[in-house]
Amino acid sequence: MKLQEYRAKELFRRNGCNVQEGKVAKTPDEVFDIAHEYNGKVVVKAQVLVGGRGKAGGVKLAKTPQEAREIAQKILGMDIKGLKVKKVLVTKAVDIRHEAYFGVILDRKSKKVVIMASSEGGVDIEQVARNTPEKIFKVYADPFLGLRPYAARYLIEKIYDNPDVIKQGIDMLQKLYNTFISVNASLAEINPMVLTPQGQLICVDAKIVLDDNGLMKHPELESWRDPDESTPEELEAKSAGLSFVKLTGNIGCVVNGAGLAMATMDLVKHYGDEPSNFLDVGGSSNPKKVISALRIITRDPKVKVILFNIFGGITRCDDIANGLVEAIEEFKPTIPIIARLTGTNEDKGREILKKAKIHVFSSMDDVVKKAVELAKN
Ligand code: GDP
Ligand code: MN
């Protein structure tokens, strides 16, 4: 789950980071009022869940409340990389002497948390990583001891040379790391970390991605989820208790088990087509779940065939088959449905599906080949 900049800044603030002051607004008049209250230069910033807002014209400096209102009129409603701007953050503008990058991410390769810093802040850090990777410095957190002070110092001394700034930098880096850990994030970034002409470090932009699997420990953050992060199909699937990811192909897949779903998608690709979705209905034979799945899948007109791939383990094939039949009878899909059913009580299950006139296979290879063939015609 990605957090908007103002939410991420709120979390950094709670952990003691020095964050640029700001308030959220939804209308140009609210922006005017906030700018008036701040009584000086402000920055109006589009709140959308993508990077590079500055380059896209979504971050603008205003010298007067009047100018802030005019800028807000332009930014609110603007389209940035396909996302409509519904809110802006109005911040007290800071003066910039230097922009650095601070980041904490979970590195799957090393199976550790990696802490990074670079003097090349402000700009697209992915570009720095590609072109001049030697300008990004890294340390790994100890799984038990966390980010140790000497490791933080090692990083910060690569960026700053003034002892007082180094002290602030170490402190901020540790607080950034603590924020990351405290909310089970998979990424926490400050880009830019600004050094002001007065020698102060201030967090000017913030990004946090929460690990969805850690969210149950932070139920209060669930309400921060931005509906724009997911497609409408993904939201509907989530509320129906399905694991669903929208893809771009023609073959709708309904599978029990994430591993089997992945294997099914691989096989669809192997035989030359593309899946329209990843969908794991779980171990359940609940017809309601299957109906939700069918409804979500068939909404995409590109879907030409629906492929059920079911492996009966603890859930028995006859149970699942009954659920499918009930769902299909109620839903009445207009495109062909084929199924592969194997495992516990497969004979009974196959009987049930055959009666419902569903072409049923026992081999995964055969059913996927058939689905690809049907999708072509
Ligand atoms: P991003 O483009 O989505 O990463 O948005 P940022 O919040 O990082 O803003 C982009 C750039 O705008 C920053 O790198 C700064 O150069 C500039 N900027 C943002 N806030 C301020 C501010 O308060 N004062 C000044 N002078 N520049 C700012
Ligand atoms: Mn930024």
Side-chain angles (χ1 to χ4, degrees), residues 228-278:
D228 287 349
E229 187 189 8
S230 317
T231 63
E233 286 88 357
E234 283 166 353
L235 287 176
E236 189 179 337
K238 192 171 172 10
S239 66
L242 306 164
S243 308
F244 177 88
V245 181
K246 183 79 192 99
L247 301 165
T248 53
N250 309 316
I251 298 184
C253 304
V254 183
V255 187
N256 70 330
L260 190 60
M262 297 296 280
T264 309
M265 292 173 12
D266 281 348
L267 211 57
V268 167
K269 278 196 168 241
H270 178 75
Y271 285 116
D273 213 316
E274 300 273 336
S276 83
N277 66 285
F278 166 95

Side-chain angles (χ1 to χ4, degrees), residues 190-235:
I190 299 179
N191 186 26
M193 173 69 81
V194 163
L195 175 64
T196 65
Q198 296 76 32
Q200 269 220 311
L201 287 185
I202 301 184
C203 158
V204 162
D205 187 14
K207 180 175 175 187
I208 292 182
V209 180
L210 300 175
D211 180 346
D212 281 346
N213 294 318
L215 259 179
M216 45 117 173
K217 296 186 201 167
H218 314 283
E220 74 286 359
L221 298 180
E222 187 58 50
S223 66
W224 283 9
R225 188 181 288 281
D226 191 303
D228 287 349
E229 187 189 8
S230 317
T231 63
E233 286 88 357
E234 283 166 353
L235 287 176

